[in-house]
């Protein structure tokens, strides 16, 4: 029992000593005086200008206050200029600049060219249709003869496609001669039928519908694809361009050079005697030069070439590209979309024109419960608008084009990569007098026989003026690097601030307290190791009591108790001999009055 009491006393003394030492260290490290010393040390050694004067003890307090107020004013002033830089960075991050390198027209597709006869239906074919039939009501929708509200036939795309192909002038009758790249070609090999807002038209060099429409089916085509055609359809977008490996003959085609000889030349037959309905007051053709990946809207934007005239149409490509760095900018700020950001439902290739066509179709479907025949069929079950819907469709289209009402397509932003074409038109009368010697290399059969009347013919020349052109590039006018450099320049000018100043602040907040705490713990551990030899290693009193209770032994006999005490004295003496050593070697051993 005496050994147990001695063990309790020594353990309590050691525990009290350790607790006092730990409390003293914690008080030293977390006290206000220690924090004050750390702040003063930071002010004296910081790289920021002016802070060392605040902690300088050799100057007066008013001088310290002066430097403190000056530092605060400098921080406020630098923050004001940095806010101006941030506003500029966030408000106008995009700049459109002219590319330093010229591009070759041979790397760009020759424009798609859509040619429409102003006559939308041949008279001889219309006369075969009964005026009381449903086909005649669909024909009135094509001719836009909108005053008859009694026509209420609900048309579908299948029947409208059939009547359209039946009454329109086919391309092989309208195109009499075609040449491209100084080589005469069959017109049926170059042109395909296409549906526009001016009816059935002939299109050159457009993207194949299988690459243009998202959910493509053969029902979209107005005529079956050519099985034995020499030209192979390939994919192309303004952003990705052409593939690296191309077949020998393909479309969309590229230009082989400049001038009329290397461009596209066509001779057209107007068939004036077959005119039945038209959207204009003249005789001739409408022509539109457009992107191969866009469907044309000829009625509003086409150029008119009257019959009996020869026209020259020089073309200039306009290409806009963008750097990948602007992807990090919000769409609402950069105001353009990349191809992988396409959210169109009908078209695979995004462009502003395609988006506007889809938007118009959605608005008509919502307001008039029908879709015009030339617009994207977003809902295959939707009906084609007829003459009885003209009042509603005209109202919706007027509001869309005016952009002053709620019915608008303002969310159709331009693509970040876009290819457009500028075309100008100049015409002159065709002279077919045999005595007139012409330098045009055209076949003689065109101006003889049934096409001898030059007043019904038109000759069109489409060509590039130059082999090279300069594109425009959308790039970051004020990127994060420029913002960081301007901010760092202002902070360095006003305060001497740098990245190392941030490292200093992090050091004094985190690293320095951690190192101080670690040093105190190591010092405490060394003290405990030095004082460890003062107390013998014995089992704690609680463990001894727990063992006694667990064993539940009877009190030992007196003789056995004496033997145990004798062994304990011998063991204690041996332990002192092996364990006790003086802390510092000297002539006299140290004296510890509090030891037994």
């Amino acid at each position: 029992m005496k050994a147990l009491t001695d063990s309790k006393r020594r353990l309590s003394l050691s525990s009290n000593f350790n607790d006092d030492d730990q409390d003293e260290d914690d008080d030293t490290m977390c006290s206000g005086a220690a924090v004050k010393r750390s702040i003063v040390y930071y002010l004296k050694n910081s790289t920021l200008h002016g802070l060392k004067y605040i902690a300088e003890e050799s100057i007066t307090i008013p001088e310290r206050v002066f430097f403190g107020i000056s530092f605060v004013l400098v921080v406020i002033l630098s923050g004001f200029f940095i806010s101006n830089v941030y506003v500029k960075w966030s408000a106008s991050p995009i700049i459109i600049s002219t590319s330093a390198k010229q591009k070759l027209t041979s790397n760009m597709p020759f424009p798609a060219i859509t040619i429409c006869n102003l006559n939308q239906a041949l008279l001889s074919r219309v006369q075969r249709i009964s005026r009381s039939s449903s086909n005649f009501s669909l024909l009135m929708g094509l001719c836009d003869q909108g005053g008859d509200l009694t026509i209420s036939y609900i048309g579908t795309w299948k029947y409208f496609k059939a009547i359209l192909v039946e009454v329109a002038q086919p391309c092989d009758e309208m195109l009499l001669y075609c040449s491209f790249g100084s080589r005469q070609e069959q017109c049926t090999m170059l042109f395909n039928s296409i549906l526009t807002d001016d009816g059935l038209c002939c299109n050159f060099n457009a993207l194949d519908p299988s690459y243009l429409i998202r959910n493509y089916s053969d029902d979209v085509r107005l005529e079956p694809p050519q099985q034995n055609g020499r030209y192979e359809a390939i994919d192309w977008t303004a952003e990705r361009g052409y593939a690296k490996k191309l077949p020998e003959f393909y479309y969309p085609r590229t230009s082989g050079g400049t001038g009329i000889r290397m461009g596209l030349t066509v001779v057209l037959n107007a068939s004036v005697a077959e005119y039945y309905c038209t959207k204009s007051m003249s005789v001739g053709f409408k022509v539109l030069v457009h992107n191969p990946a866009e469907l044309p809207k000829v009625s509003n934007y086409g150029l008119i070439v009257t019959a009996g005239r020869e026209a020259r149409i020089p073309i200039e490509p306009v290409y806009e590209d963008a750097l990948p760095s602007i992807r990090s900018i919000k769409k609402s700020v950069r105001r353009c979309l990349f191809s992988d950001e396409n959210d169109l439902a009908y078209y695979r290739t995004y462009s502003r024109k395609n988006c506007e066509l889809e938007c118009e179709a959605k608005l008509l479907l919502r307001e008039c419960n029908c879709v015009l025949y030339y617009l994207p069929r977003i809902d295959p079950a939707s009906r084609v608008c007829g003459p009885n819907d003209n009042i509603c469709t005209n109202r919706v289209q007027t509001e869309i084009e005016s952009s002053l009402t709620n019915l608008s397509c303002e969310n159709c932003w331009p693509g970040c990569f876009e290819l457009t074409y500028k075309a100008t038109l100049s015409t002159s009368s065709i002279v077919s007098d045999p005595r007139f010697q012409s330098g045009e290399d055209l076949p003689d059969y065109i101006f003889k026989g049934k096409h001898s009347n030059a007043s019904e013919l038109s000759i069109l020349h489409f060509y590039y003026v130059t082999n090279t052109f300069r594109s425009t590039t959308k790039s970051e006018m004020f990127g994060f690097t420029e913002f960081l450099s301007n901010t760092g320049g202002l902070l360095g000018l006003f305060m001497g601030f740098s990245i190392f100043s941030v490292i200093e602040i992090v050091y004094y907040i985190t690293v320095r307290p951690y190192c101080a705490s670690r040093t105190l713990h190591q010092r405490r551990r060394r003290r405990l190791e030095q004082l460890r030899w003062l107390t013998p290693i014995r089992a704690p009193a609680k463990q001894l009591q727990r063992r006694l209770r667990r064993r539940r032994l009877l009190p030992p006999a007196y003789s056995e108790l004496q033997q145990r005490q004798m062994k304990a004295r011998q063991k204690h003496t041996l332990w002192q001999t092996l364990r006790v050593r003086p802390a510092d070697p000297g002539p006299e051993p140290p004296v510890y009055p509090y030891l037994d």
Side-chain angles (χ1 to χ4, degrees):
M1 296 300 292
K2 182 179 180 182
L4 182 61
T5 306
D6 294 342
S7 176
K8 286 183 179 182
R9 182 172 55 83
R10 291 175 182 178
L11 286 173
S12 62
L13 289 174
S14 176
S15 176
N16 294 335
F17 178 78
N18 294 339
D19 294 341
D20 295 340
D21 188 25
Q22 183 176 0
D23 294 340
E24 182 181 357
D25 290 341
D26 293 339
D27 294 340
T28 304
M29 184 174 59
C30 301
S31 63
V35 174
K36 181 179 179 181
R37 286 195 300 269
S38 299
I39 295 175
V40 171
Y41 187 81
Y42 167 73
L43 295 177
K44 289 183 177 180
N45 296 276
S46 175
T47 57
L48 296 179
H49 297 169
L51 291 182
K52 65 179 181 179
Y53 298 107
I54 301 176
E56 184 65 39
E57 298 178 355
S58 60
I59 61 177
T60 60
I61 294 179
E63 292 175 319
R64 297 183 188 180
V65 173
F66 170 76
F67 283 109
I69 295 175
S70 301
F71 184 81
V72 172
L73 293 177
V74 165
V75 171
I76 295 174
L77 190 61
S78 60
F80 171 75
F81 286 109
I82 291 174
S83 64
N84 292 340
V85 173
Y86 177 78
V87 169
K88 183 179 179 181
W89 176 48
S90 58
S92 56
I94 299 294
I95 183 173
I96 301 176
S97 58
T98 303
S99 177
K101 295 182 180 180
Q102 292 184 337
K103 294 186 178 294
L104 298 175
T105 55
S106 58
N107 295 332
M108 297 291 172
F110 197 79
I113 297 172
T114 301
I115 304 174
C116 304
N117 195 325
L118 293 179
N119 179 32
Q120 296 179 306
L122 297 177
L123 177 62
S124 60
R125 300 188 179 184
V126 173
Q127 291 175 347
R128 304 174 191 170
I129 303 175
S130 174
R131 293 184 177 271
S132 60
S133 65
S134 59
N135 287 342
F136 188 77
S137 66
L138 292 176
L139 178 62
M140 291 300 99
L142 172 65
C143 293
D144 200 15
Q145 302 296 320
D148 193 356
L149 299 178
T150 61
I151 302 176
S152 59
Y153 176 76
I154 300 177
T156 60
W157 164 246
K158 179 180 179 180
Y159 295 109
F160 190 85
K161 173 184 174 182
I163 189 62
L164 186 66
V165 174
E166 181 181 349
V167 301
Q169 183 187 27
C171 292
D172 56 354
E173 294 182 9
M174 184 177 70
L175 298 163
L176 303 179
Y177 171 84
C178 300
S179 68
F180 180 72
S182 72
R183 182 171 56 188
Q184 184 178 353
E185 299 273 3
Q186 293 183 9
C187 294
T188 55
M189 300 290 292
L190 297 180
F191 284 83
N192 297 314
S193 298
I194 188 174
L195 190 61
T196 69
D197 52 348
D198 252 15
L200 190 66
C201 302
C202 302
N203 181 264
F204 166 78
N205 210 40
L207 200 65
D208 191 79
S210 60
Y211 296 109
L212 182 63
I213 300 173
R214 188 175 296 276
N215 298 319
Y216 167 77
S217 64
D218 290 335
D219 183 62
V220 178
R221 295 182 182 271
L222 296 175
E223 56 189 13
Q226 298 179 3
Q227 299 296 332
N228 300 322
R230 181 171 60 174
Y231 291 93
E232 180 181 348
I234 62 173
D235 193 12
W236 174 89
T237 62
E239 183 172 347
R240 295 189 299 268
Y242 286 107
K244 294 183 179 180
K245 294 183 179 180
L246 298 173
E248 183 179 1
F249 299 99
Y250 58 89
Y251 70 94
R253 306 162 181 83
T254 58
S255 173
T258 60
I260 292 177
R261 187 184 303 275
M262 301 303 296
L264 174 68
T265 298
V266 293
V267 179
L268 307 175
N269 175 28
S271 298
V272 179
E274 291 283 348
Y275 267 52
Y276 175 75
C277 66
T278 178
K279 291 185 178 180
S280 64
M281 301 296 294
S282 58
V283 175
F285 304 90
K286 275 186 181 180
V287 179
L288 183 64
V289 178
H290 58 94
N291 188 317
E294 297 176 354
L295 288 184
K297 205 168 183 181
V298 184
S299 181
N300 281 348
Y301 308 106
L303 303 173
I304 291 184
V305 180
T306 58
R309 302 187 72 84
E310 180 180 7
R312 291 195 172 194
I313 306 175
I315 300 170
E316 179 185 357
V318 179
Y319 183 66
E320 299 179 6
D321 58 5
L323 297 180
S325 58
I326 70 172
R327 281 182 176 271
S328 59
I329 302 174
K330 294 181 180 180
K331 299 177 185 178
S332 58
V333 177
R334 67 173 191 251
R335 305 289 293 182
C336 72
L337 295 177
F338 288 90
S339 59
D340 56 354
E341 298 172 337
N342 177 16
D343 56 352
L344 299 182
Y346 186 77
Y347 296 105
R348 288 179 54 189
T349 303
Y350 180 86
S351 69
R352 188 171 190 170
K353 297 294 184 182
N354 291 346
C355 179
E356 289 174 349
L357 289 175
E358 275 201 15
C359 175
E360 184 177 351
K362 292 178 181 178
L363 292 177
L364 283 173
L365 191 61
R366 187 185 70 185
E367 298 293 328
C368 306
N369 198 26
C370 66
V371 178
L372 291 172
Y373 65 90
Y374 60 87
L375 291 177
R377 291 178 298 281
I378 300 175
D379 183 6
S382 60
R383 66 181 182 89
V384 177
C385 296
N388 55 320
D389 299 306
N390 283 352
I391 297 176
C392 180
T393 57
N394 290 337
R395 176 184 62 83
V396 172
Q397 288 183 315
T398 302
E399 292 183 2
I400 291 175
E401 294 171 358
S402 64
S403 67
L404 297 177
T405 61
N406 295 329
L407 297 177
S408 63
C409 298
E410 295 180 352
N411 293 330
C412 289
W413 296 333
C416 295
F417 290 78
E418 280 203 341
L419 177 62
T420 56
Y421 300 90
K422 291 182 179 179
T424 56
L425 175 67
S426 60
T427 63
S428 179
S429 299
I430 297 176
V431 178
S432 60
D433 193 332
R435 297 171 296 177
F436 181 74
Q437 300 295 324
S438 174
E440 290 283 355
D441 188 16
L442 297 175
D444 295 335
Y445 68 85
I446 295 178
F447 302 98
K448 296 180 181 180
K450 62 178 180 179
H451 303 302
S452 59
N453 187 2
S455 62
E456 292 192 359
L457 302 180
S458 294
I459 304 174
L460 306 180
H461 305 280
F462 303 89
Y463 58 93
Y464 280 144
V465 179
T466 178
N467 279 326
T468 60
F469 68 98
R470 291 189 182 274
S471 63
T472 57
T473 303
K474 301 181 184 71
S475 58
E476 280 186 309
M477 182 184 69
F478 209 75
F480 179 75
T481 303
E482 289 77 12
F483 173 74
L484 187 63
S485 61
N486 289 347
T487 302
L490 290 171
L491 291 175
L493 175 64
F494 285 98
M495 305 164 52
F497 186 87
S498 64
I499 297 298
F500 203 81
S501 301
V502 178
I503 297 175
E504 286 182 350
I505 296 174
V506 173
Y507 166 75
Y508 280 101
I509 294 177
T510 60
V511 179
R512 185 177 175 85
Y514 169 75
C515 293
S517 175
R518 187 168 178 271
T519 302
L520 291 176
H521 285 296
Q522 290 178 351
R523 187 182 303 169
R524 186 183 307 117
R525 191 181 302 112
R526 285 195 297 268
R527 290 178 182 175
L528 293 177
E529 290 178 354
Q530 292 175 359
L531 298 176
R532 188 179 180 184
W533 60 275
L534 296 177
T535 56
I537 301 176
R538 296 178 180 177
K542 292 184 178 180
Q543 292 185 5
L544 294 175
Q545 293 177 358
R546 193 180 301 113
R547 289 175 184 175
L548 293 175
R549 294 193 192 98
R550 190 181 302 145
R551 293 176 183 176
R552 296 180 179 178
L553 298 178
L554 296 174
Y558 180 76
S559 58
E560 185 180 352
L561 184 60
Q562 285 183 343
Q563 292 178 2
R564 289 182 183 181
Q565 290 178 356
M566 184 65 67
K567 290 180 180 180
R569 290 194 190 96
Q570 293 176 359
K571 185 177 179 181
H572 183 67
T573 305
L574 179 62
W575 179 86
Q576 287 182 344
T577 304
L578 296 177
R579 182 67 177 171
V580 176
R581 294 290 185 273
D584 295 323
E588 294 182 359
V591 179
Y592 301 97
Y594 52 86
L595 291 178
D596 272 348

